[in-house]
Amino acid sequence: MPDARPAFVFDGGRCTGCAACQVACGIENAAGGDPGWRRILTLNPSRHPALPTVHLSLACNHCDTPECLLACPAAAYRRDAATGAVLLDETKCLGCRYCSWVCPFDAPRFDAARGVMTKCTFCAPRLAAGGEPACTAGCPTGALTLGVHVAGEPEPSGPGLAPSGLGPALRLVPPRRPAFSAAAAGDEDEPSRPLQPLPPRKIRLAAEWPLVAFTVLLPALVAWLAAAGSPLALQPDRSPPTALVLGAGLACLALAGLHLGRPFRAWRALHNLGSSWLSREVLCANLFLGAVALGGLTAAESSAARLAGAIALAAGAGLLLSIDRVYRAVPRPAPRRTHPAEATLAGFFLFTLLAGILPLAVALGTARALLLVRTARRGDWGLSPPWAALRLALLTLACALSFAWPLAWPLAFAVALIGEAIDRTAFFAALEPTSPAREMAGRVTLAAAPPRS
């Protein structure tokens, strides 16, 4: 990639919000329709008199380090050598939408009719021919133009744009008026209220329940198998039936396929093991189940069975790590703190519970309870306080059952698993990537709040 390449240059002082750039994009790329690749975001669209009204024309910024390209499990993204544009090959796309989760600029768009992602191409053919993108050519005020991006230059910052560390090919012309200040909009006579609604959620619990099931059940199966085969286990007679592990694991994989826009392209999820944690998650899940199947087909205590067990445990550990890394890559406005639903925490706790290492299980349960209380008090947990209270009760009950009645370990495991499901549900309920539109809405909501005395 060359050090200097084309970039969008935006002058907010010239932008009137006319959407000519958006219309030009549709004419060039969607036969006059609107593909949603370029959007006009407006700070203070209701024209509150105490706030400035600012527009931002935004599309894909074709970053130096494109998170979409690195995270895509199907390797459907590539960098165009001639123009530096980040391009998407829709024939390779699974429709998993993960690229839209990890992009802090909300650039990739999901085409529900075709089940694939789409995005701005930077009008790469026009650039290669010496022209300019349709959006810059169509801007009547000169607010959006074509410039040059130099690798390593400071990132743009302003309403709707937070530092990403990705090196976007976007430059902002410094404002001619003072920058927006939340303090300037304080009004002691007006109650705190949001002036700009948040955009619709990108991650909806009702649509992501297959991922909830996948990230609850597979870590539980890993923990169960590890507890049965670990030399640390004090209760080695708790081996799970091979048919149960395989049946539940394959059901989880099938459910996860429901999340895809193109389920029959699921095999492509292994195409980006070099940089995608989602690809690694899929690989580890399949290796784990494959090793379990191999172990079930071989004689117990044979060298093949021991090898299969070792592979299953290694793949299971990789699976827990991969699940957590997949979701840690999603940009969020708050610092990325440890959540009580993380797969590694859940897996280790269930392992100690099933292995009969009860003092360690209680210690881990206590630590997770404290983490749950802290997360719920911050408002980051995702569910209401009654649910948090139920989660704490289930955690306590699982530990108590294991201590007081060791023979009831299946019941303790079931209680713990219900608690993990609640935790994971709360995690998905709270999970929502940051975006320029959300950042703008957050600024106006803060600005409308009266100053603290």
Side-chain angles (χ1 to χ4, degrees), residues 48 185-195 444-451:
H48 189 284
D187 185 351
E188 296 184 6
D189 298 325
E190 182 176 353
S192 175
R193 61 186 179 89
L195 297 180
V444 175
T445 300
L446 289 173

PDB file of all heavy atoms in Angstrom, residues 48 185-195 444-451:
ATOM      1  N   HIS A  48     -32.105  22.810  18.193  1.00  0.00           N
ATOM      2  CA  HIS A  48     -32.186  23.398  19.530  1.00  0.00           C
ATOM      3  C   HIS A  48     -31.389  24.709  19.526  1.00  0.00           C
ATOM      4  O   HIS A  48     -30.228  24.742  19.097  1.00  0.00           O
ATOM      5  CB  HIS A  48     -31.611  22.418  20.558  1.00  0.00           C
ATOM      6  CG  HIS A  48     -31.830  22.838  21.976  1.00  0.00           C
ATOM      7  ND1 HIS A  48     -31.094  23.833  22.574  1.00  0.00           N
ATOM      8  CD2 HIS A  48     -32.699  22.387  22.918  1.00  0.00           C
ATOM      9  CE1 HIS A  48     -31.489  23.980  23.829  1.00  0.00           C
ATOM     10  NE2 HIS A  48     -32.464  23.107  24.062  1.00  0.00           N
ATOM     11  N   ALA A 185     -24.261  24.141  26.140  1.00  0.00           N
ATOM     12  CA  ALA A 185     -25.694  23.943  25.949  1.00  0.00           C
ATOM     13  C   ALA A 185     -26.443  23.757  27.254  1.00  0.00           C
ATOM     14  O   ALA A 185     -27.625  23.491  27.253  1.00  0.00           O
ATOM     15  CB  ALA A 185     -25.931  22.735  25.051  1.00  0.00           C
ATOM     16  N   GLY A 186     -25.784  23.861  28.373  1.00  0.00           N
ATOM     17  CA  GLY A 186     -26.456  23.652  29.652  1.00  0.00           C
ATOM     18  C   GLY A 186     -27.536  24.696  29.884  1.00  0.00           C
ATOM     19  O   GLY A 186     -27.385  25.866  29.563  1.00  0.00           O
ATOM     20  N   ASP A 187     -28.640  24.265  30.431  1.00  0.00           N
ATOM     21  CA  ASP A 187     -29.762  25.172  30.688  1.00  0.00           C
ATOM     22  C   ASP A 187     -30.388  24.764  32.010  1.00  0.00           C
ATOM     23  O   ASP A 187     -31.052  23.738  32.103  1.00  0.00           O
ATOM     24  CB  ASP A 187     -30.786  25.068  29.549  1.00  0.00           C
ATOM     25  CG  ASP A 187     -31.915  26.093  29.719  1.00  0.00           C
ATOM     26  OD1 ASP A 187     -31.968  26.729  30.792  1.00  0.00           O
ATOM     27  OD2 ASP A 187     -32.723  26.249  28.782  1.00  0.00           O
ATOM     28  N   GLU A 188     -30.170  25.569  33.020  1.00  0.00           N
ATOM     29  CA  GLU A 188     -30.636  25.203  34.348  1.00  0.00           C
ATOM     30  C   GLU A 188     -32.157  25.186  34.432  1.00  0.00           C
ATOM     31  O   GLU A 188     -32.733  24.559  35.303  1.00  0.00           O
ATOM     32  CB  GLU A 188     -30.067  26.176  35.383  1.00  0.00           C
ATOM     33  CG  GLU A 188     -28.544  26.111  35.498  1.00  0.00           C
ATOM     34  CD  GLU A 188     -28.034  27.011  36.605  1.00  0.00           C
ATOM     35  OE1 GLU A 188     -28.880  27.569  37.331  1.00  0.00           O
ATOM     36  OE2 GLU A 188     -26.819  27.150  36.751  1.00  0.00           O
ATOM     37  N   ASP A 189     -32.839  25.898  33.545  1.00  0.00           N
ATOM     38  CA  ASP A 189     -34.294  25.952  33.596  1.00  0.00           C
ATOM     39  C   ASP A 189     -34.944  24.823  32.806  1.00  0.00           C
ATOM     40  O   ASP A 189     -36.160  24.672  32.810  1.00  0.00           O
ATOM     41  CB  ASP A 189     -34.787  27.296  33.035  1.00  0.00           C
ATOM     42  CG  ASP A 189     -34.279  28.463  33.871  1.00  0.00           C
ATOM     43  OD1 ASP A 189     -34.176  28.282  35.107  1.00  0.00           O
ATOM     44  OD2 ASP A 189     -33.999  29.519  33.294  1.00  0.00           O
ATOM     45  N   GLU A 190     -34.159  24.028  32.092  1.00  0.00           N
ATOM     46  CA  GLU A 190     -34.721  22.969  31.263  1.00  0.00           C
ATOM     47  C   GLU A 190     -34.298  21.620  31.826  1.00  0.00           C
ATOM     48  O   GLU A 190     -33.121  21.409  32.112  1.00  0.00           O
ATOM     49  CB  GLU A 190     -34.208  23.106  29.823  1.00  0.00           C
ATOM     50  CG  GLU A 190     -34.807  22.058  28.889  1.00  0.00           C
ATOM     51  CD  GLU A 190     -34.348  22.276  27.459  1.00  0.00           C
ATOM     52  OE1 GLU A 190     -33.689  23.299  27.200  1.00  0.00           O
ATOM     53  OE2 GLU A 190     -34.644  21.425  26.616  1.00  0.00           O
ATOM     54  N   PRO A 191     -35.242  20.691  32.038  1.00  0.00           N
ATOM     55  CA  PRO A 191     -34.876  19.381  32.567  1.00  0.00           C
ATOM     56  C   PRO A 191     -34.038  18.600  31.562  1.00  0.00           C
ATOM     57  O   PRO A 191     -34.095  18.851  30.362  1.00  0.00           O
ATOM     58  CB  PRO A 191     -36.232  18.704  32.796  1.00  0.00           C
ATOM     59  CG  PRO A 191     -37.164  19.384  31.847  1.00  0.00           C
ATOM     60  CD  PRO A 191     -36.671  20.803  31.765  1.00  0.00           C
ATOM     61  N   SER A 192     -33.272  17.660  32.106  1.00  0.00           N
ATOM     62  CA  SER A 192     -32.439  16.833  31.247  1.00  0.00           C
ATOM     63  C   SER A 192     -33.310  15.963  30.355  1.00  0.00           C
ATOM     64  O   SER A 192     -34.216  15.287  30.821  1.00  0.00           O
ATOM     65  CB  SER A 192     -31.547  15.940  32.114  1.00  0.00           C
ATOM     66  OG  SER A 192     -30.832  15.056  31.310  1.00  0.00           O
ATOM     67  N   ARG A 193     -33.073  16.012  29.071  1.00  0.00           N
ATOM     68  CA  ARG A 193     -33.815  15.169  28.138  1.00  0.00           C
ATOM     69  C   ARG A 193     -32.998  15.015  26.862  1.00  0.00           C
ATOM     70  O   ARG A 193     -32.258  15.924  26.459  1.00  0.00           O
ATOM     71  CB  ARG A 193     -35.170  15.787  27.795  1.00  0.00           C
ATOM     72  CG  ARG A 193     -35.096  17.152  27.134  1.00  0.00           C
ATOM     73  CD  ARG A 193     -36.491  17.743  26.961  1.00  0.00           C
ATOM     74  NE  ARG A 193     -36.437  19.055  26.343  1.00  0.00           N
ATOM     75  CZ  ARG A 193     -36.461  19.273  25.038  1.00  0.00           C
ATOM     76  NH1 ARG A 193     -36.506  18.246  24.208  1.00  0.00           N
ATOM     77  NH2 ARG A 193     -36.421  20.493  24.544  1.00  0.00           N
ATOM     78  N   PRO A 194     -33.111  13.872  26.207  1.00  0.00           N
ATOM     79  CA  PRO A 194     -32.369  13.691  24.961  1.00  0.00           C
ATOM     80  C   PRO A 194     -32.978  14.514  23.835  1.00  0.00           C
ATOM     81  O   PRO A 194     -34.198  14.535  23.654  1.00  0.00           O
ATOM     82  CB  PRO A 194     -32.513  12.195  24.689  1.00  0.00           C
ATOM     83  CG  PRO A 194     -33.776  11.806  25.386  1.00  0.00           C
ATOM     84  CD  PRO A 194     -33.866  12.693  26.598  1.00  0.00           C
ATOM     85  N   LEU A 195     -32.156  15.229  23.105  1.00  0.00           N
ATOM     86  CA  LEU A 195     -32.640  16.023  21.977  1.00  0.00           C
ATOM     87  C   LEU A 195     -32.463  15.283  20.666  1.00  0.00           C
ATOM     88  O   LEU A 195     -32.995  15.713  19.644  1.00  0.00           O
ATOM     89  CB  LEU A 195     -31.871  17.347  21.908  1.00  0.00           C
ATOM     90  CG  LEU A 195     -32.052  18.273  23.108  1.00  0.00           C
ATOM     91  CD1 LEU A 195     -31.245  19.539  22.915  1.00  0.00           C
ATOM     92  CD2 LEU A 195     -33.515  18.615  23.301  1.00  0.00           C
ATOM     93  N   VAL A 444     -25.431  15.149  22.089  1.00  0.00           N
ATOM     94  CA  VAL A 444     -26.559  16.052  22.248  1.00  0.00           C
ATOM     95  C   VAL A 444     -27.323  15.738  23.527  1.00  0.00           C
ATOM     96  O   VAL A 444     -27.799  16.618  24.221  1.00  0.00           O
ATOM     97  CB  VAL A 444     -27.487  15.964  21.011  1.00  0.00           C
ATOM     98  CG1 VAL A 444     -28.730  16.799  21.220  1.00  0.00           C
ATOM     99  CG2 VAL A 444     -26.751  16.469  19.790  1.00  0.00           C
ATOM    100  N   THR A 445     -27.397  14.451  23.870  1.00  0.00           N
ATOM    101  CA  THR A 445     -28.063  14.090  25.113  1.00  0.00           C
ATOM    102  C   THR A 445     -27.318  14.671  26.303  1.00  0.00           C
ATOM    103  O   THR A 445     -27.908  15.219  27.227  1.00  0.00           O
ATOM    104  CB  THR A 445     -28.152  12.562  25.246  1.00  0.00           C
ATOM    105  OG1 THR A 445     -28.885  12.056  24.144  1.00  0.00           O
ATOM    106  CG2 THR A 445     -28.843  12.168  26.534  1.00  0.00           C
ATOM    107  N   LEU A 446     -25.986  14.599  26.275  1.00  0.00           N
ATOM    108  CA  LEU A 446     -25.190  15.176  27.360  1.00  0.00           C
ATOM    109  C   LEU A 446     -25.313  16.691  27.387  1.00  0.00           C
ATOM    110  O   LEU A 446     -25.416  17.304  28.441  1.00  0.00           O
ATOM    111  CB  LEU A 446     -23.720  14.783  27.184  1.00  0.00           C
ATOM    112  CG  LEU A 446     -23.374  13.316  27.459  1.00  0.00           C
ATOM    113  CD1 LEU A 446     -21.940  13.055  27.086  1.00  0.00           C
ATOM    114  CD2 LEU A 446     -23.621  12.981  28.922  1.00  0.00           C
ATOM    115  N   ALA A 447     -25.338  17.272  26.195  1.00  0.00           N
ATOM    116  CA  ALA A 447     -25.372  18.724  26.133  1.00  0.00           C
ATOM    117  C   ALA A 447     -26.676  19.279  26.683  1.00  0.00           C
ATOM    118  O   ALA A 447     -26.729  20.367  27.210  1.00  0.00           O
ATOM    119  CB  ALA A 447     -25.190  19.186  24.695  1.00  0.00           C
ATOM    120  N   ALA A 448     -27.758  18.498  26.547  1.00  0.00           N
ATOM    121  CA  ALA A 448     -29.062  18.996  26.987  1.00  0.00           C
ATOM    122  C   ALA A 448     -29.234  18.879  28.491  1.00  0.00           C
ATOM    123  O   ALA A 448     -30.157  19.468  29.043  1.00  0.00           O
ATOM    124  CB  ALA A 448     -30.166  18.196  26.301  1.00  0.00           C
ATOM    125  N   ALA A 449     -28.377  18.136  29.146  1.00  0.00           N
ATOM    126  CA  ALA A 449     -28.500  17.973  30.598  1.00  0.00           C
ATOM    127  C   ALA A 449     -28.046  19.237  31.302  1.00  0.00           C
ATOM    128  O   ALA A 449     -27.079  19.868  30.919  1.00  0.00           O
ATOM    129  CB  ALA A 449     -27.659  16.787  31.060  1.00  0.00           C
ATOM    130  N   PRO A 450     -28.772  19.645  32.362  1.00  0.00           N
ATOM    131  CA  PRO A 450     -28.359  20.842  33.099  1.00  0.00           C
ATOM    132  C   PRO A 450     -27.043  20.602  33.820  1.00  0.00           C
ATOM    133  O   PRO A 450     -26.746  19.475  34.207  1.00  0.00           O
ATOM    134  CB  PRO A 450     -29.506  21.049  34.079  1.00  0.00           C
ATOM    135  CG  PRO A 450     -30.140  19.702  34.234  1.00  0.00           C
ATOM    136  CD  PRO A 450     -29.977  19.021  32.915  1.00  0.00           C
ATOM    137  N   PRO A 451     -26.227  21.614  33.991  1.00  0.00           N
ATOM    138  CA  PRO A 451     -24.959  21.423  34.682  1.00  0.00           C
ATOM    139  C   PRO A 451     -25.177  21.037  36.140  1.00  0.00           C
ATOM    140  O   PRO A 451     -26.151  21.442  36.781  1.00  0.00           O
ATOM    141  CB  PRO A 451     -24.296  22.809  34.576  1.00  0.00           C
ATOM    142  CG  PRO A 451     -25.429  23.761  34.350  1.00  0.00           C
ATOM    143  CD  PRO A 451     -26.470  23.012  33.582  1.00  0.00           C
TER     144      PRO A 451
END
